[in-house]
Amino acid sequence: MLIYFVTLLATIALINTPVPRIVVSAVLTPEAGEAVARSLTSITKDLVLVLLISLYFEWVRTREQGELLRGIDRKLELMQEDARTASAPAIRKLVLDTTPPEELVRTALDRHIPHSADKSSFVSMLLSASRPHHDVSVTLRVDRVEEGVLHVSSRYELMMPRGPVMVAATSSPVHAAALASSSPELFEVVTLPRSTPFEEAVRIFGERLECYVEPTQGAVRRAHFRKVPSSALRKHISLPIGMVPSDVSLFIADLSQESTEMVHVRHYYRWTQTIGEHFLFWSAGRPMFVRTITMDLRELVQGNQREVFVQPFLDTVDSLVLDAKDGHLMLRLDRWLVRGQGVVAIW
C-alpha cells in the first residue's frame, strides 16, 4: 500500500514538471511537446481524484481493522478473566465437551493399559461405526425338529432411531463379514444356505423376513420390506472390493416417517439347520444395551433326548459352561455388550 501511494504521488509530481514537454519536444517536435503538456493537465485531475478515493478507502479499512483488533483484545481479556475465575469442574466440562470421543477413550486407555501400543482395536469395539442399539432383547428358539432338521426362529427386539431398516443377504460368510464392515448402516447381514440356489434362497428369505413396529400409541403394525434391484444397490450400501451386485440381495423397510425419534422394533428371522451341526449361537454385531438373552431348546432336549450346554461369552457372566437341563435359559443382563460378545448352545 505504501509503494502504491508513493508511486501515485510521484506520477502526479512528475507530470506537473516541464520534463515530459522537454523530452517529447526533443524526441519529436516542439508542437508535440506542447500538446503533451496540455493533455497531462487533465490527467493530473484524474490522478488526484484517484488519490483521494484511495486515501478514503484506506482510512475505512484501517478503522475497521482497528475495531476488529480492539474486539479481539476485549475477548482475550474476557477469556483471561474466565480462566482466572474458572473452577476445576468448569474446566473439566469444557475439555470433555470439546474433545472427540475417540481421543477421550484413547486417553483413558493410556492410563489403563499404558504398555500396549494398539489402542485402535479396542476403541473400534467401543465406538463402532454402526449406530448402537438400545433396550435389546434376543430370543433363539427351536420351534420343531423334523427328521434331523431344526426349524429355528430368532426374535430381536430393540429401540432404534427412526429411519430405513436395511437387511442384506449373501451366500458366503466371508462376504457377510466384509459387507458388515463396509456398510455399517446395515441393520443385519445374513448368510443364506448354499444348498439352495441363491435366487431361490433370496425369495424364501424375503418371504420369511418380518419386522414389526410398536408405536407408543396404537396397534402394532408390520413394516413391509422391498427388495432393491441389483442396479440400485450402490445407492444404499458400499460393496467391498471383490463383491459384485449379484453376490448380495438387499431388503429395505422405511421407518423414517414414524412420529417419535426412537422406534420400538421387533425383528423376526427363521431358518433351518441340521441337527448334526451341534451348535446354535447369537453374537452382538455392534455395541448394544441388552436387557435379556433367551435360549429355548426344549424341543431339542425333550423330544430328541439331547443334552444341551449353554456357554455365554459376556465377561461378567460366569465363564463356566452352564447346563440348561430343561433346554431353556434366560440371562438378564441390563448392560452394554460390544461387538462379538454373545451366547452359544452346544449339544
Side-chain angles (χ1 to χ4, degrees), residues 188-254:
E188 186 179 13
V189 182
V190 177
T191 302
L192 300 180
R194 294 188 177 184
S195 57
T196 306
F198 186 62
E199 291 298 327
E200 178 65 15
V202 168
R203 183 188 63 81
I204 297 174
F205 173 76
E207 293 174 351
R208 295 176 176 177
L209 192 58
E210 295 182 48
C211 183
Y212 296 87
V213 179
E214 186 174 334
T216 53
Q217 295 181 348
V220 176
R221 64 179 182 277
R222 183 170 182 172
H224 296 284
F225 284 86
R226 63 178 179 86
K227 186 176 180 296
V228 177
S230 298
S231 59
L233 275 180
R234 297 185 187 276
K235 296 180 181 179
H236 301 280
I237 59 176
S238 300
L239 294 180
I241 297 175
M243 283 188 67
V244 295
S246 59
D247 293 330
V248 58
S249 287
L250 180 66
F251 297 85
I252 296 182
D254 187 12

Side-chain angles (χ1 to χ4, degrees), residues 6-222:
V6 170
T7 304
L8 190 58
L9 290 171
T11 303
I12 295 173
L14 179 62
I15 65 178
N16 283 279
T17 63
V19 174
R21 179 176 58 79
I22 295 172
V23 172
V24 174
S25 297
V27 174
L28 299 176
T29 62
E31 290 77 9
E34 292 296 335
V36 168
R38 288 193 300 270
S39 64
L40 289 178
T41 303
S42 61
I43 294 177
T44 301
K45 297 178 180 178
D46 295 336
L47 291 176
V48 171
L49 181 61
V50 170
L51 176 62
L52 293 175
I53 294 174
S54 300
L55 288 172
Y56 171 75
F57 281 109
E58 178 63 14
W59 173 76
V60 171
R61 185 178 69 86
T62 304
R63 181 181 178 183
E64 291 179 348
Q65 287 182 342
E67 292 178 354
L68 177 62
L69 291 174
R70 286 191 294 273
I72 293 175
D73 287 338
R74 287 194 296 270
K75 291 181 179 179
L76 288 175
E77 290 176 357
L78 291 175
M79 292 176 64
Q80 291 173 353
E81 182 64 23
D82 291 342
R84 287 193 296 268
T85 59
S87 60
I91 295 175
R92 182 173 180 272
K93 184 178 184 304
L94 176 63
V95 172
L96 294 177
D97 290 344
T98 56
T99 305
E102 295 83 358
E103 188 174 345
L104 289 174
V105 174
R106 288 192 181 93
T107 302
L109 291 177
D110 285 336
R111 298 180 181 179
H112 188 61
I113 44 177
H115 304 297
S116 174
D118 175 33
K119 306 294 193 301
S120 59
S121 58
F122 201 170
V123 173
S124 66
M125 295 178 66
L126 299 175
L127 301 175
S128 169
S130 302
R131 60 186 181 184
H133 286 168
H134 306 268
D135 294 335
V136 175
S137 294
V138 180
T139 301
L140 289 182
R141 176 179 292 109
V142 175
D143 295 325
R144 63 183 187 280
V145 182
E146 295 178 346
E147 299 179 355
V149 176
L150 303 182
H151 294 262
V152 185
S153 64
S154 167
R155 169 173 164 163
Y156 188 67
E157 189 170 353
L158 71 149
M159 295 293 293
M160 61 174 289
R162 60 186 175 191
V165 178
M166 296 192 292
V167 179
T170 73
S171 60
S172 167
V174 176
H175 284 172
L179 189 60
S181 298
S182 66
S183 300
E185 65 273 16
L186 285 171
F187 179 82
E188 186 179 13
V189 182
V190 177
T191 302
L192 300 180
R194 294 188 177 184
S195 57
T196 306
F198 186 62
E199 291 298 327
E200 178 65 15
V202 168
R203 183 188 63 81
I204 297 174
F205 173 76
E207 293 174 351
R208 295 176 176 177
L209 192 58
E210 295 182 48
C211 183
Y212 296 87
V213 179
E214 186 174 334
T216 53
Q217 295 181 348
V220 176
R221 64 179 182 277
R222 183 170 182 172

